[in-house]
């Protein structure tokens, strides 16, 4: 299989990029080695390479033929022990959500918006041929700069790539045998709403009302599918956002408390300590000590 050699695509033009991991290591290693986040979706296919990938403060070992699906706002960093090979696809919501069902696709596949149960996916080498072909078609379409309906074609190819991934990873995405697709669909809609509203809505009843179910039904369903009640998911998302903000410059407790809708700084501090077991000041000191290493 011929190795793809891709040039950087200017995001402001097509809101879309496809690069090799080798290119990113050569041109953006300073960024990829430090914790950073994007305001767009990222698909990372690590074909070869060893090391670790830290996503939202969880560290994962790198393995061949591993796929990562990052949603906007997720913080991550690579630390390679051997040279990587693979591909990185990125696109923003303006590019992909032209048609409403494309947003539903991202939610329904279960590949993105898995803040609470984030994990990479792996494939056997023999199963990657079809995905490689789609990537080559994406490359050819991108290089056809004067092609009419280019954005529509690229959007369709990305959609095809995601559908193929969902099929290939179906066994890794599948819920346990006693979880109906209806229940899983409700949980994914709930998780999507939490991602959109967590800074304004912190009660299960708020989400239940938007989803047209009772709070008890929502809690029971979310716990059945994920092992944790809906209220825990909301708390986890708020705590994750606090950590993200603390890691990316917004280090004042008062500032974060205001930004996330807490009544006051005291309420914010109590909330953080109750969930993490440490004060926000202690967490900031921990961050500072890590940055000096």
């Amino acid at each position: 299989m011929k190795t793809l050699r891709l040039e950087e695509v200017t995001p402001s033009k097509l809101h879309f990029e496809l690069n090799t991991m080798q290119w990113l290591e050569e041109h953006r290693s300073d960024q990829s080695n430090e914790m950073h986040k994007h305001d767009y979706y990222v698909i990372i296919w690590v074909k070869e390479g060893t090391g670790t990938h830290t996503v939202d403060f969880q560290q994962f070992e790198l393995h061949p033929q591993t796929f990562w699906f990052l949603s906007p706002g997720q913080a991550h960093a690579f630390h390679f022990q051997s040279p990587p090979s693979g591909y990185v696809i990125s696109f923003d919501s303006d590019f992909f959500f032209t048609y409403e069902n494309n947003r539903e696709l991202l939610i329904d596949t279960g590949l993105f918006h898995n803040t609470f149960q984030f994990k990479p996916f792996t494939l056997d080498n023999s199963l990657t041929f079809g995905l490689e072909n789609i990537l080559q078609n994406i490359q050819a379409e991108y290089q056809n700069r004067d092609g009419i309906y280019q954005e529509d074609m690229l959007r369709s190819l990305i959609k095809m790539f995601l559908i193929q991934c969902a099929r290939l990873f179906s066994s890794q995405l599948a819920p346990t045998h006693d979880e109906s697709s209806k229940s899983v669909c409700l949980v994914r809609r709930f998780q999507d709403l939490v991602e959109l509203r967590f800074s304004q809505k912190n009660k299960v009843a708020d989400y239940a009302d938007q989803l047209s179910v009772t709070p008890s039904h929502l809690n029971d369903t979310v716990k059945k599918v994920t092992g944790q009640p809906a209220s825990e998911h909301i708390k986890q998302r708020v705590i994750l956002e606090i950590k993200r903000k603390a890691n990316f410059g917004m280090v004042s407790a008062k500032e974060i408390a205001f930004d996330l809708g807490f009544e006051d700084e005291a309420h914010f501090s109590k909330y953080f300590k109750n969930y993490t077991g440490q004060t926000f000041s202690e967490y900031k000191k921990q961050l500072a000590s890590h940055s000096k290493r």
Side-chain angles (χ1 to χ4, degrees):
M1 180 67 63
K2 182 181 178 181
T3 300
L4 298 178
R5 297 186 181 278
L6 306 173
E7 298 299 323
E8 181 183 11
V9 181
T10 304
S12 60
K13 182 180 179 183
L14 288 177
H15 317 288
F16 169 82
E17 289 189 43
L18 171 57
N19 291 305
T20 61
M21 295 201 72
Q22 298 96 315
W23 187 93
L24 291 173
E25 265 297 280
E26 291 174 8
H27 296 85
R28 298 183 186 171
S29 60
D30 290 344
Q31 180 190 49
S32 63
N33 293 337
E34 297 292 332
M35 286 294 287
H36 63 285
K37 58 182 180 179
H38 310 287
D39 59 359
Y40 44 81
Y41 293 88
V42 182
I43 304 169
I44 303 169
W45 177 2
V46 178
K47 298 185 71 174
E48 295 178 353
T50 57
T52 61
H53 188 196
T54 301
V55 181
D56 278 337
F57 320 110
Q58 296 183 72
Q59 190 175 90
F60 301 89
E61 292 291 327
L62 286 180
H63 300 286
Q65 304 299 1
T66 303
F67 293 74
W68 312 77
F69 298 86
L70 304 181
S71 302
Q74 285 194 280
H76 75 121
F78 279 106
H79 292 93
F80 294 110
Q81 296 173 348
S82 63
S85 69
Y87 312 110
V88 178
I89 303 171
S90 59
F91 55 90
D92 64 15
S93 56
D94 288 341
F95 171 78
F96 196 68
F97 292 170
T98 300
Y99 307 107
E100 179 59 30
N101 65 337
N102 280 358
R103 176 173 177 78
E104 294 177 359
L105 174 72
L106 291 192
I107 298 168
D108 292 342
T109 59
L111 298 171
F112 292 98
H113 296 293
N114 283 323
T115 302
F116 312 112
Q117 298 170 302
F118 183 84
K119 66 175 184 178
F121 300 91
T122 57
L123 277 182
D124 185 89
N125 285 341
S126 62
L127 299 176
T128 63
F129 181 78
L131 294 176
E132 192 95 41
N133 283 341
I134 297 173
L135 282 176
Q136 288 189 341
N137 288 333
I138 292 173
Q139 178 198 25
E141 181 60 35
Y142 169 68
Q143 291 177 339
N144 182 21
R145 298 300 179 95
D146 297 324
I148 61 172
Y149 302 116
Q150 184 186 43
E151 285 196 33
D152 291 295
M153 181 63 77
L154 287 171
R155 196 177 295 113
S156 296
L157 288 167
I158 291 296
K159 188 173 182 178
M160 186 185 303
F161 185 86
L162 291 173
I163 291 172
Q164 183 70 356
C165 284
R167 288 177 174 176
L168 291 170
F169 303 140
S170 60
S171 62
Q172 299 176 54
L173 286 164
T176 57
H177 68 282
D178 61 341
E179 296 163 8
S180 69
S181 58
K182 185 176 180 180
S183 295
V184 173
C185 182
L186 176 61
V187 171
R188 287 176 179 166
R189 288 170 59 207
F190 163 71
Q191 291 177 329
D192 186 49
L193 274 178
V194 171
E195 188 64 31
L196 293 173
R197 308 284 185 229
F198 71 89
S199 62
Q200 298 92 32
K201 307 287 187 181
N202 57 20
K203 295 180 180 179
V204 174
D206 295 327
Y207 295 95
D209 183 59
Q210 287 190 264
L211 294 167
S212 301
V213 297
T214 65
S216 59
H217 177 70
L218 180 59
N219 246 331
D220 291 345
T221 303
V222 173
K223 186 172 183 178
K224 179 181 178 183
V225 173
T226 69
Q228 295 179 322
S231 57
E232 186 68 13
H233 285 258
I234 299 168
K235 290 177 185 177
Q236 285 181 18
R237 186 61 186 87
V238 172
I239 292 295
L240 174 59
E241 192 65 18
I242 293 171
K243 290 181 176 181
R244 285 181 180 176
K245 290 182 181 298
N247 273 267
F248 293 100
M250 193 181 287
V251 294
S252 162
K254 183 178 181 179
E255 186 180 8
I256 297 176
F258 176 80
D259 197 57
L260 294 181
F262 283 90
E263 296 174 3
D264 49 46
E265 187 177 338
H267 181 211
F268 164 83
S269 298
K270 183 178 180 181
Y271 186 97
F272 188 82
K273 185 173 182 179
N274 284 344
Y275 196 89
T276 65
Q278 61 182 162
T279 67
F280 185 69
S281 296
E282 290 170 341
Y283 181 70
K284 286 198 300 181
K285 289 178 182 177
Q286 180 181 312
L287 287 180
S289 65
H290 287 169
S291 65
K292 291 176 182 178
R293 293 177 184 176

